[in-house]
Amino acid sequence: MDGNMRKKIAIIGAGTFGLITALAFDESLDKEKYEFIVYERMADVGGLWNFSEDVGLDSFDGLPVHGPMYKNLITNAPNELEELGFTEYFKGNEQGYVNQEIYLKSFFQFAEEYDLYKYIKCRHYIKSVKKTANGFALEILNTVTKETLFENFNFVIVAAGRYNVPKWPNAETELLKEFGGECFHSKDIKDTNKYNNKRVLCIGSASHHQSQCEWYSVDIGMLIHVFCKW
């Protein structure tokens, strides 16, 4: 079959589900009928598990920081409950709950073991996806060369994660504006050094907030933790 007749599939994101999807396609798709490419904005695989000290804008590509990853994050599920194929790389690790560094390393090992890097284009940012008569048109920015590419695909799978838009408490927004101190979202917390010996009010009780508060309690003189729902 002529290679130009193959159906093209784009996978956006090389994190957990991007890699799992790539592996499934590699093992099951008829390569004479289909081809697929994985686009990843970061310098390597791992998606939201990549840690960067940048806040607001990425220092490399100038785009808004996508991931909320913070230093010293610990997973909130024990290794035994993980079902996505990465736990085999935790063997020999005595921690029941692994940290960000170990988890990210498992992505590298996974991609290498199953030879997935040949499908992945890192440092490629998807600027837009538009529906066409025959599929989808993607506008892709190569953040290294700054070149913008236009590619057509028959199918698009979005595996870029959903934890990239900060959620603020609606009812308390005006009160937060009146607050005289520094007000920031947990997504922008990368390290606690700047908050040493300061009083911190944490609004929210999601699992990662509780993890951050435990982290604060070690490094900061005083912590006030308020649980609320909005």
Side-chain angles (χ1 to χ4, degrees), residues 8-13 36-40 121 124-132 134-142 147-159:
K8 296 178 61 178
I9 306 171
I11 301 173
I12 303 175
F36 67 92
I37 300 174
V38 182
Y39 292 104
E40 170 57 47
K121 291 189 176 183
H124 280 70
Y125 173 68
I126 307 301
K127 298 179 67 176
S128 68
V129 178
K130 296 181 180 179
K131 187 72 175 68
T132 65
N134 298 316
F136 300 88
L138 271 62
E139 184 179 1
I140 308 160
L141 173 65
N142 183 324
E147 178 185 6
T148 298
L149 310 171
F150 296 90
E151 298 284 349
N152 293 309
F153 291 87
N154 300 98
F155 308 98
V156 174
I157 296 175
V158 179

Side-chain angles (χ1 to χ4, degrees), residues 20-226:
I20 292 294
T21 303
L23 175 60
F25 284 175
D26 179 58
E27 294 180 338
S28 62
L29 285 184
D30 184 339
K31 303 302 192 303
E32 292 188 354
K33 296 180 179 180
Y34 297 93
E35 62 177 306
F36 67 92
I37 300 174
V38 182
Y39 292 104
E40 170 57 47
R41 173 183 163 183
M42 306 301 289
D44 210 327
V45 300
L48 296 176
W49 287 92
N50 280 288
F51 170 73
S52 169
E53 295 183 351
D54 294 333
V55 174
L57 297 179
D58 189 289
S59 59
F60 180 83
D61 57 29
L63 297 168
V65 172
H66 180 78
M69 186 56 57
Y70 54 91
K71 187 178 180 181
N72 299 327
L73 178 141
I74 304 292
T75 57
N76 61 0
N79 300 344
E80 292 76 11
L81 295 182
E82 295 285 354
E83 299 179 350
L84 293 175
F86 298 103
T87 52
E88 61 183 285
Y89 306 108
F90 300 159
K91 293 179 180 178
N93 176 36
E94 297 180 355
Q95 298 180 17
Y97 298 77
V98 300
N99 61 29
Q100 173 268 338
E101 184 178 357
I102 294 174
Y103 213 109
L104 181 61
K105 184 179 179 181
S106 73
F107 285 91
F108 303 155
Q109 295 171 314
F110 184 87
E112 290 175 357
E113 179 175 345
Y114 292 101
D115 195 22
L116 298 179
Y117 277 110
K118 63 186 178 184
Y119 301 114
I120 302 170
K121 291 189 176 183
C122 292
R123 292 297 188 191
H124 280 70
Y125 173 68
I126 307 301
K127 298 179 67 176
S128 68
V129 178
K130 296 181 180 179
K131 187 72 175 68
T132 65
N134 298 316
F136 300 88
L138 271 62
E139 184 179 1
I140 308 160
L141 173 65
N142 183 324
T143 57
V144 176
T145 65
K146 306 305 180 183
E147 178 185 6
T148 298
L149 310 171
F150 296 90
E151 298 284 349
N152 293 309
F153 291 87
N154 300 98
F155 308 98
V156 174
I157 296 175
V158 179
R162 61 189 182 92
Y163 297 108
N164 64 313
V165 179
K167 182 178 180 181
W168 292 86
N170 297 326
E172 291 85 356
T173 299
E174 292 303 319
L175 293 177
L176 292 177
K177 290 181 179 179
E178 297 176 4
F179 176 61
E182 181 182 0
C183 185
F184 50 89
H185 194 275
S186 60
K187 178 185 177 183
D188 294 331
I189 299 174
K190 303 297 183 179
D191 202 336
T192 59
N193 290 333
K194 64 181 295 185
Y195 308 115
N196 285 345
N197 300 316
K198 294 184 179 180
R199 299 180 64 188
V200 177
L201 171 64
C202 181
I203 302 177
S205 59
S207 57
H208 66 282
H209 292 157
Q210 296 181 39
S211 173
Q212 286 180 333
C213 286
E214 292 177 4
W215 181 28
Y216 285 152
S217 64
V218 175
D219 295 342
I220 298 178
M222 181 177 291
L223 168 70
I224 302 176
H225 187 191
V226 174

